[in-house]
Amino acid sequence: DAAGAWLSTAYRVASGVLSTPVILLLGVPILRRAFRTVRKGRMSMDLLVGAGAFAAYGISIYAIALGRRGVYFDSATSALILSTLGRYLEATGRAKASSLLGPSLRRSSEPVLVFADGAFEARAPSLGLPGDRLKIGTVEVLPVDARLLGAAAEVNLGVLTGESVPVLRQVGDEIPAGAIIVAGPIECEAIRPLRDSTLERLADLAKKLAARPTSLQRWADRFAAVLTPLVVVLAFGTLAVHVHRASTEEGVIAALAVVLAACPCTYGVATPLVFWLALRKALAHGVLVRSAAVFEELSKVRAVAFDKTGTLTERDLSVLRVDTDGDATADEVLGYLLALEQGTKHPVGQAVFRHAEQ
């Protein structure tokens, strides 16, 4: 009836009005990126996504103008939203992955004590130079590569080795940036500036990982370089066939339908989402991944051999049992240990305190 026809037309027009901001805000940047890639002589998935979305939008506007029912605004907007969502998830994953790298891989902004004019004074780590004499407190992170002075010390090199058990360093030994001082304070001499330290090299590695596309992404771009010209040829072929058999109008609609059907909507979400979720999970467990290809190769792994001197350890130490000698009982010993180790920063002392507390 007339009322139903009016409502149907109003619905289609409202869909067009509401989808237009999505097309302009999300579609135009995607096409702009696609054209930049084309000017460099390459094809990308952005070209297919943008072309498919604008094809669906164009068909729909044409249908409204002729008073027809077939509109595809949902296809146009969903393609753009999925592609943009994929980029948002990728950017969010990069940011959260960076935050999970922890203070050991971030340049410290806390001042360090540097010996000058007969006394130690606070100074920004970035101002440090080779030869500066530093004093680093307990549980503080060494900001630069340094040589130990004064006395032997225990340090935690877990950020470099994955081994949480403290290691002993003697006077004259080098200690890399990122090491955590277990028993301090210590005095040391900087041997490299901050920008050349082990800490900075690890941070650069993490940044390069975040910026480097995965091999799956590179494969998809190579696939797009072949698929996009093929889609264009098929679209023009479809246009020619339908123009010859029916009409120009049907030919245009059929050609645009070919472009829309080739739009790889889910690719924009699936590829970055899988990789960045895996990276965040690895970093949350203290695993720094050297290359994105690691995750892609894991599906082929059937056995793992650990080549490591000593034992595979967890991050936190734990007490297995308590043996006593003489008249003291285990409960009495644990009572003394609970009092002695309260507030300790040493990982062994913390393990003893947790056991005694339980």
Side-chain angles (χ1 to χ4, degrees):
D1 57 0
W6 183 87
L7 284 174
S8 178
T9 302
Y11 173 78
R12 293 196 297 274
V13 171
S15 298
V17 171
L18 293 174
S19 64
T20 299
V22 179
I23 293 292
L24 294 177
L25 293 174
L26 303 184
V28 172
I30 288 177
L31 277 186
R32 191 179 293 124
R33 285 196 305 268
F35 289 142
R36 280 200 299 265
T37 305
V38 170
R39 282 197 294 267
K40 296 177 182 177
R42 294 183 288 109
M43 299 286 188
S44 69
M45 285 293 183
D46 283 335
L47 185 58
L48 285 180
V49 172
F54 276 91
Y57 182 77
I59 293 174
S60 303
I61 294 296
Y62 183 72
I64 290 176
L66 296 182
R68 296 179 178 175
R69 291 180 177 274
V71 293
Y72 307 95
F73 293 117
D74 56 335
S75 299
T77 53
S78 62
L80 296 176
I81 289 172
L82 281 173
S83 178
T84 305
L85 177 62
R87 291 183 178 274
Y88 169 77
L89 291 172
E90 182 177 353
T92 303
R94 291 175 192 264
K96 291 187 176 180
S98 177
S99 68
L100 287 172
L101 290 174
S104 300
L105 290 186
R106 291 200 298 268
R107 178 180 291 187
S108 175
S109 58
E110 296 294 325
V112 294
L113 295 177
V114 181
F115 190 79
D117 299 327
F120 284 97
E121 60 181 36
R123 187 182 299 175
S126 57
L127 300 178
L129 297 172
D132 284 348
R133 186 176 174 184
L134 312 175
K135 178 180 284 188
I136 310 296
T138 304
V139 303
E140 291 184 5
V141 178
L142 186 64
V144 296
D145 295 341
R147 183 176 294 104
L148 186 61
L149 304 174
E154 284 185 296
V155 296
N156 184 339
L157 301 178
V159 68
L160 300 174
T161 64
E163 176 61 77
S164 58
V165 176
V167 295
L168 185 66
R169 287 292 180 262
Q170 303 290 346
V171 175
D173 289 345
E174 289 188 13
I175 306 177
I180 300 174
I181 309 306
V182 173
I186 68 166
E187 292 187 18
C188 55
E189 179 186 16
I191 56 178
R192 296 183 190 90
L194 181 63
R195 65 178 179 274
D196 297 328
S197 69
T198 304
L199 189 68
E200 285 298 297
R201 291 201 298 273
L202 273 177
D204 288 341
L205 175 64
K207 291 175 184 176
K208 288 177 181 177
L209 170 64
R212 186 185 305 135
T214 66
S215 61
L216 182 59
Q217 289 171 312
R218 290 192 295 269
W219 176 88
D221 288 336
R222 289 195 297 269
F223 177 69
V226 176
L227 178 63
T228 304
L230 179 61
V231 171
V232 173
V233 170
L234 288 175
F236 277 106
T238 303
L239 173 64
V241 170
H242 280 265
V243 168
H244 177 71
R245 290 184 176 179
S247 64
T248 302
E249 178 184 331
E250 285 193 17
V252 171
I253 292 177
L256 292 177
V258 170
V259 176
L260 175 61
C263 176
C265 303
T266 55
Y267 158 78
V269 176
T271 303
L273 179 61
V274 169
F275 171 66
W276 291 109
L277 284 178
L279 179 61
R280 285 176 53 193
K281 192 73 171 179
L283 290 171
H285 287 279
V287 178
L288 180 60
V289 182
R290 186 180 183 87
S291 169
V294 169
F295 294 119
E296 296 171 351
E297 295 297 322
L298 277 177
S299 62
K300 305 173 185 177
V301 173
R302 294 295 176 265
V304 179
F306 292 97
D307 179 12
K308 185 177 186 296
T309 303
T311 57
L312 291 172
T313 60
E314 295 184 352
R315 181 174 58 184
D316 297 322
L317 302 177
S318 59
V319 176
L320 295 181
R321 70 174 189 270
V322 178
D323 294 329
T324 61
D325 231 354
D327 298 330
T329 65
D331 286 342
E332 289 174 335
V333 171
L334 289 176
Y336 296 136
L337 292 174
L338 186 65
L340 289 171
E341 300 295 353
Q342 188 170 5
T344 182
K345 301 297 183 183
H346 197 285
V348 175
Q350 290 176 339
V352 170
F353 177 79
R354 286 194 300 269
H355 183 79
E357 191 176 35
Q358 292 168 3

